[in-house]
Amino acid sequence: MGNTPQGIALTPDGTRAYVANRGSNTVSVIDTATDTVTGTIPTGAGPANVAISPDGTRAYVTVFDDGLVSVLDLASNTVVTDIPVGVGATMAAVTPDGTRVYATRQNTDTVSVIDTATATVTGTITVGPGATGVAITPDGTRAYVACLFAGAVSVLDTATNTVVDTIPVSPLPIIPAVTADGAHVYVTCVGNSTVSVIDTAAGTVTATIGVSAQPRFVGMSPDGAHVYVANSGPSTVSVIDTATQAVVENIGVGAGPTGLAVFPDGTHAYVVNSDAGTVEVLATTVVPDQGSTAGGRTVTLTGHHLANATAVHWGTAQAAITANTDTSLTVTTPAGSGAVPVTVTTAGGTGSLGTFYYVPLPVLTGISPAAGPVAGSDDAIVLTGRNLAGAIDVYFGVTRAVIQTVSDTQITVRAAGAPAPGAVAVSVTTAGGRADGLSYTYLDPSTITDVSPNSGPTTGGTEVTITGTGLADAEEVSFHGTPAPRQPSPSSPRPS
């Protein structure tokens, strides 16, 4: 790829992918049959995202710094025209009939409406502050715009090009994605590392799903069973089960994932690793592809010609089939260990769908620091242990902590606020199970009621007694920003 790749889009037939390389002012063309870059298209400064027309003949690239929407002819892979929309062009979406493009401008709180026949801007819609991501419903009647600084999603009526609703979501929403049936919108929110789920009929958030730090783009399986979220912070992809609205797996990928696109047949996805400058192929035939050695996990298998499957094997052990169509199977995993091949047998023979990884139980051995303010903190808290890779959730009591980084032996998190001060249990959940046994103490903020004496020479050296509340865990006392040495309390033994 070029430098700092971000957005990615697949052609409707899935034969090519187009990647916006913001740092090198180019768009890379990937042949998906060979997974090779077959072309590089120069653009203006700061290409951010790509949207492709339903007929696969045109791509629309938002060029942030130059304030353009560049139109690419996909037969020749060339820029055929540049449409000025203004600096801050962020993301574009094409209506299902291909007649219009809606392009957001993050720094002007507007959405530009482009007529694709004339390649001109025919309207400008003012939305909430920080218009970032945009998605259009399958019937083309509504557009959903994530307004970063408003903490809300603006709903546009595409017939009148007016805002007809504003839906509050979690803090700092950036990217929305609409399900294939138009019933729900999944919105990534970086303010608290969650995904807000909007019921489009009710116009309300019906679920808030915790993911990991810095969630970016959203991809959806064609059958609507799973949602994939690229988490730029810990370099993972969260897999959400839409039936339970819960994360069932976190998959490690390259550094700084942002863009994500699922193939039309649902068997794999492309993940754009912005910091690594790569595009990664993520198999989605076995979801989730990790589970406990005890078995009992529900797994969806995706492929072709799966109807009337007679057996599904996890290595040599047989899994129980609970649902079966031509393109998917739902099974319950048997007990096992290690990495095992997943095979499906039908009247046409036996084929492999991928690999399943049995994960041992996680173990927690340490936490540092073990205390912090009841209001929460942005300071890093490090959990140590074993078998922690792929951590799905970390909880401090009833408070979910946001995963920042993760490895097999260490997880770094940020602690959110707690309902009350006191010690709470710490737990980590992975595909292998749950670990606990550690505690974290939420502390009330310190207050100062008296300083005695309250004056002294500029040369320092005056012993000062500070009284107040919540001082037992004080780590430092500063006078006008200068740390002071702490003296023993009256009850503490003094050296002889």
Side-chain angles (χ1 to χ4, degrees), residues 23-463:
S24 56
N25 303 331
T26 60
V27 171
S28 295
V29 185
I30 299 173
D31 181 327
T32 62
T34 61
D35 286 334
T36 57
V37 175
T38 57
T40 301
I41 307 169
T43 67
N49 289 291
V50 184
I52 294 179
S53 62
D55 64 4
T57 63
R58 292 285 188 269
Y60 298 87
V61 182
T62 48
V63 183
F64 190 94
D65 299 335
D66 279 350
L68 304 171
V69 172
S70 293
V71 184
L72 310 186
D73 177 83
L74 301 192
S76 61
N77 283 333
T78 58
V79 175
V80 292
T81 190
D82 288 321
I83 306 169
V85 294
V87 175
T90 307
M91 190 170 176
V94 188
T95 56
D97 61 7
T99 61
R100 285 169 294 169
V101 172
Y102 287 75
T104 59
R105 290 182 62 200
Q106 189 179 86
N107 56 355
T108 61
D109 313 333
T110 60
V111 176
S112 297
V113 184
I114 296 170
D115 183 316
T116 59
T118 62
T120 58
V121 175
T122 58
T124 301
I125 309 166
T126 300
V127 293
T132 304
V134 58
I136 299 175
T137 55
D139 63 6
T141 62
R142 294 288 187 270
Y144 290 81
V145 180
C147 300
L148 182 68
F149 305 121
V153 171
S154 292
V155 185
L156 311 184
D157 182 329
T158 58
T160 61
N161 284 334
T162 57
V163 176
V164 293
D165 198 5
T166 300
I167 304 172
V169 293
S170 291
L172 302 181
I174 55 170
I175 306 293
V178 185
T179 55
D181 60 5
H184 295 92
V185 178
Y186 286 75
V187 188
T188 52
C189 301
V190 298
N192 60 357
S193 300
T194 61
V195 175
S196 292
V197 185
I198 296 173
D199 182 313
T200 56
T204 58
V205 172
T206 56
T208 300
I209 306 166
V211 288
S212 296
Q214 300 297 315
R216 292 295 190 260
F217 280 78
V218 181
M220 297 187 178
S221 63
D223 62 4
H226 297 101
V227 170
Y228 302 89
V229 180
N231 303 305
S232 183
S235 299
T236 60
V237 171
S238 290
V239 183
I240 296 172
D241 183 325
T242 58
T244 62
Q245 302 292 26
V247 174
V248 295
E249 183 175 17
N250 275 338
I251 305 169
V253 293
T258 53
L260 193 152
V262 181
F263 276 73
D265 66 359
T267 60
H268 52 300
Y270 275 157
V271 181
V272 178
N273 300 317
S274 186
D275 294 345
T278 62
V279 171
E280 182 170 343
V281 183
L282 182 69
T284 54
T285 49
V286 182
V287 177
D289 67 356
Q290 301 177 26
S292 166
T293 55
R297 184 148 212 199
T298 299
V299 174
T300 301
L301 307 179
T302 301
H304 305 284
H305 313 302
L306 303 179
N308 302 313
T310 57
V312 176
H313 283 90
W314 252 236
T316 58
Q318 189 160 331
I321 301 172
T322 58
N324 188 190
T325 70
D326 191 56
T327 57
S328 72
L329 284 162
T330 303
V331 302
T332 303
T333 62
S337 62
V340 298
V342 177
T343 58
V344 177
T345 301
T346 69
T350 298
S352 176
L353 285 186
T355 303
F356 186 85
Y357 303 89
Y358 283 101
V359 179
L361 278 168
V363 176
L364 286 174
T365 57
I367 180 171
S368 178
V374 71
S377 171
D378 285 336
D379 292 339
I381 299 170
V382 178
L383 306 177
T384 52
R386 301 186 301 277
N387 308 323
L388 303 179
I392 296 169
D393 271 321
V394 176
Y395 272 89
F396 289 14
V398 297
T399 302
R400 177 180 168 272
V402 177
I403 297 172
Q404 305 292 318
T405 63
V406 64
S407 70
D408 197 53
T409 58
Q410 182 173 294
I411 304 174
T412 302
V413 300
R414 300 285 189 270
V424 296
V426 176
S427 67
V428 172
T429 301
T430 72
R434 173 174 162 157
D436 47 29
L438 299 178
S439 66
Y440 182 84
T441 303
Y442 282 103
L443 304 173
D444 267 330
S446 302
T447 62
I448 296 174
T449 57
D450 186 53
V451 177
S452 179
N454 62 8
S455 63
T458 58
T459 54
T462 302
E463 185 172 303

Side-chain angles (χ1 to χ4, degrees), residues 371-372 441-448 466-477 486-489 491-492:
T441 303
Y442 282 103
L443 304 173
D444 267 330
S446 302
T447 62
I448 296 174
I466 300 172
T467 56
T469 62
L471 302 180
D473 294 288
E475 296 178 350
E476 182 180 280
V477 176
R486 183 174 178 179
Q487 302 298 317
S489 65
S491 57
S492 300

